[in-house]
Amino acid sequence: MKKIGFLSFGHWTPSSQSQTRSAADTLLQSIDLAVAAEELGADGAYFRVHHFARQLASPFPLLAAVGAKTSRIEIGTAVIDMRYENPFYMAEDAGAADLIAGRRLQLGISRGSPEQVIDGWRHFGYQPAEGESDADMGRRHAEVFFDLLRGEGFAPPNPRPMFPNPPGLLRLEPHSDGLRDRIWWGAGSNATAIWAAKLGMNLQSSTLKNDETGEAFHVQQAAQIRAYRAAWREAGHAREPRVSVSRSIFALMDDRDRTYFGRGREDDDQIGFIDERTRAIFGRSYAAEPHVLIEQLRKDEAITEADTLLLTVPNQLGVPYNAHVIEAILTHVAPALGWR
């Protein structure tokens, strides 16, 4: 395992038991947690994107703010739902945020998952083309975005421009060299992982995927990663790809940890349906004393296959507690798994 970061969904609720009672609380604490994670030596600060929900949504202002407050840590998403995105405007936002961050963005994108409202992307002005599903539309938006990041000119200049133009066709600005190599696809199936490999995107495999074989989640996820790497090699890309998995992992270090996570309620994989046709398998959570965690995680085939592990954090418990959660894993668990 080469890198370990955190992944926050950015929940908030007005409950008195929550440390994030407003959108402002969540956004500002997200920045603070990224700063704390960098100080602890973590490798990445990643944020989920959900629309029409009391969770983090528009990612680029947050990514830019984190980039301005930190200097080393990777900053990313897991994932941006491309059904909602204008790929041209997104390319400008991404270029600006990446330059502010000193080229540290690691953007996870995907075709999306079920959302809070029915066909929410329609409210954003998008509609699948004839014969196209919403998933197809998301992948089409992703391909356009990915192509725009090449930085090649495509727009004929005005012969009487307001400002002088460079010669030739114009590209979107600001452009950030190297960002295209830091785009990840959140794949829920083996087929979409292979598709992403052929295009040259890195792979994010999360805590749920299509149940394609009936095997344990980590076994299916490891097979997905191996299929992705094989497709990458076959495509002949020049660089090595990156692969991340995300897990809920808690080292039980004190009474707070045992109170929150020591009851063993999610020790097994779960089965559910993300739509009427798609049976999905959800990965288990891990919560145990560090020496037990080490042995459990060594048996997780997907963690072994991946180079990056994202720790999902309970952001509503506040920055100090989440920093404690991250520090416990980095100090007492990760070194035994080959980190650093």
Side-chain angles (χ1 to χ4, degrees), residues 39-216:
E39 292 173 351
L40 292 169
D43 300 301
Y46 286 73
F47 304 96
R48 188 71 167 88
V49 180
H50 271 129
H51 300 291
F52 299 103
R54 290 178 175 180
Q55 298 177 35
L56 295 170
S58 56
F60 291 106
L62 174 60
L63 296 175
V66 172
K69 287 281 191 175
T70 58
S71 61
R72 179 193 56 81
I73 198 168
E74 294 181 344
I75 308 161
T77 52
V79 291
I80 298 172
D81 186 336
M82 293 302 295
R83 296 174 299 179
Y84 288 77
E85 295 295 327
N86 176 325
F88 292 82
Y89 197 81
M90 182 176 170
E92 293 181 342
D93 277 351
D98 194 41
L99 292 173
I100 290 171
R103 294 186 170 90
R104 287 181 284 133
L105 256 57
Q106 303 282 343
L107 293 181
I109 64 176
S110 183
R111 66 92 168 175
S113 59
E115 292 288 310
Q116 296 296 103
V117 300
I118 298 170
D119 296 346
W121 29 270
R122 294 185 187 276
H123 298 285
F124 279 53
Y126 302 113
Q127 184 170 327
E130 186 174 350
E132 186 182 55
S133 69
D134 63 300
D136 294 331
M137 177 180 67
R139 284 187 285 270
R140 173 167 52 82
H141 286 183
E143 290 191 53
V144 173
F145 171 69
F146 197 53
D147 191 56
L148 289 170
L149 293 183
R150 293 180 185 276
E152 297 174 355
F154 62 90
N158 186 337
R160 292 181 293 278
M162 183 177 295
F163 308 105
N165 284 322
L169 300 176
L170 302 183
R171 67 184 184 186
L172 293 175
E173 301 289 356
H175 172 73
S176 182
D177 288 330
L179 178 57
R180 194 171 187 271
D181 289 341
R182 290 178 272 116
I183 304 300
W184 306 58
W185 184 256
S189 68
N190 290 4
T192 51
I194 291 169
W195 170 83
K198 292 178 179 177
L199 264 65
M201 286 188 273
N202 300 312
L203 176 66
Q204 284 183 342
S205 191
S206 71
T207 51
L208 79 91
K209 72 177 293 295
N210 294 3
D211 185 8
E212 300 182 69
T213 65
E215 297 171 287

Side-chain angles (χ1 to χ4, degrees), residues 217 247-248 266-270 282-287 296:
F217 170 78
R247 293 286 188 275
S248 295
E266 297 182 32
D267 287 346
D268 298 312
D269 296 339
Q270 302 293 318
F282 300 76
R284 58 164 293 184
S285 296
Y286 293 92
Q296 291 176 335

